[in-house]
């Protein structure tokens, strides 16, 4: 399990270095995740220690929602005050996201099937 955690931290560290010196607009952990994903695609498999860490993270993924829940409770008076605006913003963003996703899918579907 330690081997898997070390692998993840190495990829994140490389992402942080790239972010610091070359691409400061993108967070280091995101770059590290993309590097790890690229490495795994090229390698074609996930080694056992890394897979074990990933499975453990996946089993406890619900814990990541605890800080968000605390934030909601902390800002509950503001949410009550601006509840309509927040609800409207969420609904519009979801509808726009679904629409843009459908258009992109339609574009790529035509691009791959017209050949």
């Amino acid at each position: 399990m330690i081997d898997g955690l070390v692998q993840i931290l190495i990829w994140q560290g490389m992402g942080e270095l790239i972010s610091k010196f070359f691409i400061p607009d993108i967070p280091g952990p995101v770059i590290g995740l993309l590097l790890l994903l690229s490495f795994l695609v090229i390698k074609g498999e996930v080694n056992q220690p890394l897979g074990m860490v990933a499975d453990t993270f996946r089993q406890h993924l619900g814990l990541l929602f605890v800080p968000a829940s605390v934030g909601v409770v902390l800002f509950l008076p503001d949410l009550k005050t601006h509840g309509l605006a927040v609800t409207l913003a969420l609904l519009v963003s979801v509808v726009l996201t679904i629409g843009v996703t459908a258009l992109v899918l339609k574009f790529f579907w035509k691009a791959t099937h017209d050949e």
Side-chain angles (χ1 to χ4, degrees):
M1 181 109 164
I2 298 295
D3 292 342
L5 286 171
V6 168
Q7 291 175 43
I8 289 174
L9 290 175
I10 287 173
W11 287 108
Q12 182 178 353
M14 288 193 310
E16 290 286 352
L17 288 172
I18 291 172
S19 173
K20 179 75 173 169
F21 294 111
F22 300 110
I23 313 172
D25 295 334
I26 302 175
V30 173
I31 295 172
L33 182 64
L34 292 173
L35 290 172
L36 174 61
L37 179 64
S38 302
F39 173 75
L40 292 175
V41 166
I42 291 169
K43 188 177 175 186
E45 66 179 2
V46 177
N47 58 30
Q48 197 266 340
L50 187 60
M52 191 167 60
V53 170
D55 286 340
T56 303
F57 281 163
R58 184 182 43 81
Q59 289 171 355
H60 301 293
L61 202 55
L63 292 176
L64 294 175
F65 294 106
V66 171
S69 302
V70 169
V72 168
V73 170
L74 180 66
F75 292 105
L76 197 56
D78 291 334
L79 288 174
K80 286 181 180 178
T81 304
H82 305 290
L84 182 61
V86 170
T87 303
L88 187 62
L90 286 171
L91 287 174
V92 169
S93 66
V94 167
V95 169
L96 285 175
T97 301
I98 292 171
V100 169
T101 303
L103 290 174
V104 169
L105 180 62
K106 184 178 178 180
F107 172 77
F108 282 116
W109 182 267
K110 283 184 180 180
T112 58
H113 286 82
D114 285 343
E115 296 174 357

